[in-house]
Amino acid sequence: MSSNWPEGVGRIILPEIDSTNAEAARRVGSLAGPVWILAHRQTKGRGRRGRAWSDPVGNFSATYVARPDGPPDQVALRSFVAALALDEALVAVTGRPDSFAIKWPNDVLLHGGKLAGILLESVGENARVNHLAIGIGVNLRHAPEPEEGALTPVSLLAETGVQITPEEFLGILAPAYARWDAQLSTFGFGPVRQAWLARAARLGQPIVARTVAQSFEGTFVGIDSSGALLLQMPQETRAIPAAEVFFS
């Protein structure tokens, strides 16, 4: 392991698996502590709302699984921790901080195209989260075919010329995640929120937020203390806890 690898965190490398989040769910009963699970290829990778996640060899697919403290709404804030860690790792690899931005709620953009996605899944009972799995996919070498109405996917290699293996990238991402997670645990969501807003895509600009039942248009003005999207509309500022965001 890298000399910077976070203390007490395990690492599992697999040649091929259906889904790293699915593998995390299968292993939680036997895990002694937090662990990263990386697969060189996923055959059934998933994105938000059950969408398929394309995962050719050379791209990054990994899941961080841990037993977090706190109620579910606080545990869910790790999505912002993961996004900041991912942004930090990508900037470290490329040296191009101005090329990346974070799109609410869970994507990292490169030159305005979708480079990476984050998927949180949890298992719990009695209002507690027993295990949290944070799945992360990054188009290191290959970009999938674009979906209608979605942001154009991009790859790190095509956009920057940077070549890095999934295992090398994990060695940079894992310490970054540990640092941001420690920030959240020690100081609460405030500093994480401010850092996230400093990297947010389209802050102060018009966007469309679509929930299952409704569509809202307004100006993206921030996120609140729960991580909900704040949308300035003609009559009100609305907090939207879950939605798909589209750029005008």
Side-chain angles (χ1 to χ4, degrees):
M1 292 187 183
S2 164
S3 59
N4 294 323
W5 188 263
E7 185 177 356
V9 177
R11 182 169 65 170
I12 299 169
I13 309 295
L14 302 169
E16 183 175 298
I17 198 68
D18 53 353
S19 157
T20 55
N21 269 27
E23 182 67 8
R26 289 189 288 264
R27 289 178 180 255
V28 289
S30 62
L31 295 179
V35 65
W36 283 92
I37 301 172
L38 181 144
H40 285 286
R41 183 171 182 269
Q42 289 185 126
T43 58
K44 296 181 180 179
R46 304 191 310 278
R48 293 185 73 233
R49 299 187 179 180
R51 295 189 182 98
W53 179 270
S54 177
D55 186 34
V57 173
N59 283 358
F60 180 86
S61 296
T63 294
Y64 177 78
V65 58
R67 295 183 177 92
D69 295 324
D73 59 337
Q74 295 299 306
V75 170
L77 296 175
R78 262 80 179 185
S79 64
F80 298 94
V81 168
L84 285 168
L86 190 49
D87 177 86
E88 179 182 312
L90 289 164
V91 170
V93 167
T94 63
R96 302 183 182 191
D98 295 337
S99 295
F100 300 94
I102 305 173
K103 177 177 175 284
W104 188 91
N106 63 350
D107 295 335
V108 176
L109 310 183
L110 170 57
H111 300 153
K114 181 172 178 176
L115 176 69
I118 299 166
L119 175 65
L120 266 67
E121 294 182 324
S122 61
V123 176
E125 57 186 17
N126 300 324
R128 290 194 62 83
V129 175
N130 294 334
H131 295 92
L132 177 69
I134 305 173
I136 297 176
V138 186
N139 302 326
L140 293 181
R141 293 187 64 86
H142 310 282
E145 292 297 318
E147 297 180 6
E148 185 177 356
L151 288 176
T152 301
V154 297
S155 74
L156 190 71
L157 177 60
E159 294 292 317
T160 70
V162 171
Q163 298 188 54
I164 186 169
T165 69
E167 290 189 43
E168 289 170 337
F169 188 72
L170 180 60
I172 299 169
L173 175 61
Y177 180 88
R179 286 191 294 272
W180 283 109
D181 192 52
Q183 283 274 313
L184 179 66
S185 298
T186 304
F187 302 109
F189 187 50
V192 171
R193 175 179 173 272
Q194 290 302 316
W196 188 94
L197 287 170
R199 305 295 293 157
R202 300 295 179 97
L203 186 64
Q205 298 183 38
I207 63 170
V208 177
R210 294 176 186 165
T211 68
V212 174
Q214 294 178 280
S215 181
F216 303 97
E217 295 187 33
T219 300
F220 173 33
V221 294
I223 56 175
D224 68 12
S225 59
S226 71
L229 175 78
L230 295 177
L231 195 64
Q232 179 67 58
M233 303 171 67
Q235 303 299 324
E236 63 176 337
T237 298
R238 180 180 288 266
I240 302 174
E244 296 281 349
V245 166
F246 298 87
F247 296 154
S248 303

